[in-house]
Amino acid sequence: MYDVTKLRTYFPATTVYKDPAIMATFRSAGIPAFLRDWILKRKAGPDGHIDDPSELSNYVASIIPHREEKGRLEDEARTDGETRKFLARIGIRFDSRSNYYTFEIPDLGFTHGQTLIEDYIWDRVKEDLIGAAGGWGLVKIGYIPPEGKKKNGKFTLLDYKNFCPYEVDLDSFREARSYFEADEWMDIILGAIDYNPDGYCGVDEAKDSYEVWEAKHTMLTRLLPFIEPRINLVELAPKGTGKSYLFGRVGKYGWLASGGTLTRAKLFYDVAARQPGLIVSSDFVAMDEIQSIRFDDPSEMQGALKGYLESGEATFGKNKIIGKAGVILLGNIPRLDMDASKDMFKTLPEVFHESALLDRFHGFIQGHKIPRLTEIMKINGWALNTEYFTEIMHLLRAQSESLRYRSIVEELVWYPSDADTRDTEAVLRVCTAYLKLFFPHAADRAVTEQTHFRQEFNRYCLRPARLMRDIIRKQLRVIDPAEFGSKNIATYKLRGE
């Protein structure tokens, strides 16, 4: 476990006390981790504790309405002229026919057809809304009754404020990171996403240290799409290792699609509405329970995915969409079936059982190395604020940041001139994401010149990145031996070795 005093010294405004009993209250209410920590920051005392859990429950119920409360909010807006402020996820769209913006609150059932944003309001709130994938904030809505011959009134946005309660500064974050050792920082990240780093030993404190390190590192590999644009991963793992929780409840900028039918309009572009899909508006799209996901037009989806995974673009008629979202496939398979020398994709939809598509995924997460979640693995104590840390990861996705860290990786990694281009891009892209995650302070070139940094980069970034791509390569040989049977991944190593 990390030194709590040290953590709070260097992150004085961005730590919260994560009490399992209080966190259970939020879980029972279905509150995502980033919203939970925002509320904890507002309601906890100086010692981090909540003095009155019942008061907290009442506050949560009042500020985060459920879908069945839509009628009450509609009545408030119509009768009183405005609703109380509440926390919600909001989406926006420009209606070119009517020449105004509309909004939706999907969790409450408010649709674009019911709403509008008047220009004077839009001018005030657009900086908080534009580009804010996920659109979580404090919302107040009102109501405009029908006028003239119009049959329907409209719910209108009166106020919106991003709920981030502090300034998120990357340079301050990088400086604070420099005071921690790599293993210590790994534990801090685990705490930020609600895991107790000591819990990875389970009840056996003498468990092999490398096995524990590998389990922690594999868990944190799931964060790579949070921090690096267009990183495409596959994770097939046993049940109960926390895949859905991490991708669905930790950050507000990604999207978790679980089972059911996924349409081209939802994922890429809605031609009828002329509206881009999740790929454009999200940091990542994770397809959970991939075995049960269906596509309305599998061949169209396969073609669109191949184009997008390769270049970040896809074209539908005259419409081209460009996105930065990573695509993650998540599936459950028995632990005994985790064998890279066999076909691990045999139970996936036929769309994904094609070598040309699989080749475009950058890496495979070995989820069987992550232990099944137990109570001892839940954080209990001071930890980095989840909402703050996910904001940091979102900022590190900026193109300028990716170019900065990618240039460091290019200087560190050697590979032969005949290395496969897709292998090379995969290894370097994953390395860049790992570098941002574990060594964000490496943006200061003085850090990369330290003697121990090269060894740590090799351990935390390069070797895992090559292994992740190597598993994809092995699966390609199994699925398509005629094309990939004789192809092995090239050597990727530190320059000068």
Side-chain angles (χ1 to χ4, degrees):
M1 185 70 174
Y2 46 81
D3 183 330
V4 169
T5 301
K6 185 176 177 182
L7 174 68
R8 298 193 67 196
T9 297
Y10 294 109
F11 291 97
T14 53
T15 52
V16 292
Y17 192 89
K18 299 184 179 182
D19 181 332
I22 297 298
M23 299 207 0
T25 299
F26 286 99
R27 281 197 303 274
S28 65
I31 308 299
F34 56 90
L35 289 183
R36 178 205 66 211
D37 284 6
W38 179 85
I39 294 171
L40 285 176
K41 194 72 179 174
R42 288 171 66 98
K43 305 304 288 185
D47 61 355
H49 291 275
I50 300 292
D51 294 328
D52 188 347
S54 62
E55 180 184 342
L56 174 67
S57 297
N58 292 335
Y59 176 75
V60 170
S62 68
I63 200 168
I64 306 178
H66 292 284
R67 194 180 187 93
E68 57 268 23
E69 296 179 69
K70 181 188 178 187
R72 185 182 299 276
L73 291 169
E74 289 174 331
D75 186 63
E76 283 182 22
R78 179 177 177 274
T79 304
D80 302 333
E82 63 182 34
T83 64
R84 65 187 186 277
K85 285 187 177 181
F86 58 91
L87 272 173
R89 181 181 62 187
I90 185 171
I92 58 170
R93 178 188 296 175
F94 180 68
D95 186 329
S96 59
R97 292 188 181 92
S98 303
N99 194 35
Y100 55 69
Y101 280 88
T102 64
F103 67 94
E104 66 172 353
I105 306 177
D107 295 337
L108 295 176
F110 288 98
T111 65
H112 287 286
Q114 297 176 282
T115 67
L116 65 82
I117 307 175
E118 295 179 282
D119 287 343
Y120 79 97
I121 297 290
W122 176 250
D123 290 340
R124 191 172 75 230
V125 302
K126 63 183 179 181
E127 293 304 319
D128 275 345
L129 277 170
I130 291 179
W136 280 96
L138 283 167
V139 176
K140 182 189 289 186
I141 61 175
Y143 180 72
I144 299 176
E147 296 179 354
K149 296 181 179 180
K150 294 181 179 179
K151 296 181 179 179
N152 299 314
K154 296 283 186 179
F155 292 97
T156 181
L157 185 69
L158 296 181
D159 199 11
Y160 175 86
K161 187 66 178 177
N162 189 302
F163 63 80
C164 185
Y166 36 71
E167 181 179 356
V168 181
D169 181 73
L170 279 179
D171 288 335
S172 297
F173 172 78
R174 281 188 268 252
E175 181 182 1
R177 160 62 184 94
S178 68
Y179 293 101
F180 299 90
E181 298 299 324
D183 284 0
E184 193 176 19
W185 184 245
M186 174 186 279
D187 287 353
I188 287 172
I189 301 175
L190 284 167
I193 60 172
D194 298 345
Y195 286 92
N196 171 23
D198 291 345
Y200 279 77
C201 294
V203 296
D204 181 10
E205 296 185 359
K207 184 181 288 187
D208 177 76
S209 60
Y210 178 74
E211 183 182 353
V212 172
W213 181 92
E214 191 176 41
K216 293 178 179 180
H217 189 276
T218 306
M219 168 62 81
L220 295 180
T221 296
R222 291 173 173 170
L223 293 176
L224 300 189
F226 288 70
I227 207 167
E228 175 69 11
R230 286 187 48 238
I231 193 164
N232 308 312
L233 304 175
V234 180
E235 180 177 354
L236 304 179
K239 297 178 181 180
T241 59
K243 299 186 298 299
S244 301
Y245 174 77
L246 187 71
F247 288 105
R249 311 299 288 180
V250 168
K252 62 180 179 286
Y253 295 104
W255 192 276
L256 179 71
S258 298
T261 300
L262 187 60
T263 66
R264 179 263 302 148
K266 179 74 170 177
L267 187 60
F268 287 107
Y269 187 80
D270 187 331
V271 175
R274 291 183 288 184
Q275 181 71 15
L278 295 171
I279 287 294
V280 176
S281 61
S282 307
D283 282 3
F284 62 81
V285 176
M287 302 182 194
D288 198 10
E289 299 177 7
I290 191 64
Q291 294 96 327
S292 61
I293 282 185
R294 301 181 303 276
F295 302 106
D296 56 342
D297 187 336
S299 60
E300 179 190 46
M301 186 66 77
Q302 188 179 70
L305 280 169
K306 282 194 286 190
Y308 178 77
L309 295 179
E310 182 74 17
S311 64
E313 300 179 1
T315 302
F316 304 93
K318 296 180 180 180
N319 304 294
K320 176 187 285 189
I321 65 102
I322 300 174
K324 295 294 184 181
V327 175
I328 303 97
L329 306 184
L330 302 172
N332 295 321
I333 63 173
R335 195 175 294 271
L336 294 176
D337 289 345
M338 295 295 302
D339 185 345
S341 66
K342 299 177 182 178
D343 186 356
M344 294 189 290
F345 286 70
K346 60 186 177 183
T347 62
L348 270 60
E350 193 64 28
V351 167
F352 300 109
H353 210 259
E354 187 207 34
S355 61
L357 181 60
L358 177 59
D359 196 17
R360 288 161 165 80
F361 282 89
H362 299 118
F364 187 99
I365 302 175
Q366 298 187 82
H368 66 286
K369 295 184 180 294
I370 301 172
R372 185 177 175 85
L373 181 63
T374 61
E375 291 301 310
I376 197 175
M377 293 175 65
K378 296 177 182 179
I379 189 68
N380 182 8
W382 285 97
L384 206 60
N385 186 321
T386 301
E387 199 273 326
Y388 166 75
F389 186 62
T390 56
E391 285 290 335
I392 287 290
M393 291 192 290
H394 180 66
L395 291 178
L396 283 169
R397 291 172 56 88
Q399 183 179 28
S400 58
E401 298 295 335
S402 291
L403 291 173
R404 173 189 289 189
Y405 288 96
R406 176 64 176 258
S407 67
I408 297 170
V409 170
E410 294 274 6
E411 291 174 7
L412 288 167
V413 180
W414 178 92
Y415 47 90
S417 58
D418 62 348
D420 182 271
T421 298
R422 284 195 180 130
D423 286 348
T424 299
E425 177 59 26
V427 171
L428 297 183
R429 187 178 290 267
V430 173
C431 267
T432 301
Y434 274 136
L435 185 66
K436 290 180 183 179
L437 184 64
F438 291 118
F439 307 101
H441 59 313
D444 178 358
R445 292 306 180 97
V447 173
T448 64
E449 294 172 1
Q450 296 172 3
T451 55
H452 67 284
F453 174 77
R454 283 169 55 88
Q455 285 70 37
E456 289 185 335
F457 173 81
N458 198 31
R459 184 188 191 202
Y460 281 84
C461 307
L462 180 54
R463 287 178 183 169
R466 187 188 183 281
L467 176 59
M468 289 174 67
R469 179 60 186 180
D470 188 44
I471 295 174
I472 294 290
R473 174 64 62 181
K474 288 177 179 177
Q475 286 295 285
L476 288 170
R477 291 202 296 269
V478 171
I479 292 172
D480 190 353
E483 176 67 23
F484 295 95
S486 61
K487 296 180 180 179
N488 294 312
I489 192 169
T491 298
Y492 295 85
K493 64 180 183 178
L494 290 173
R495 291 186 184 275
E497 286 193 347

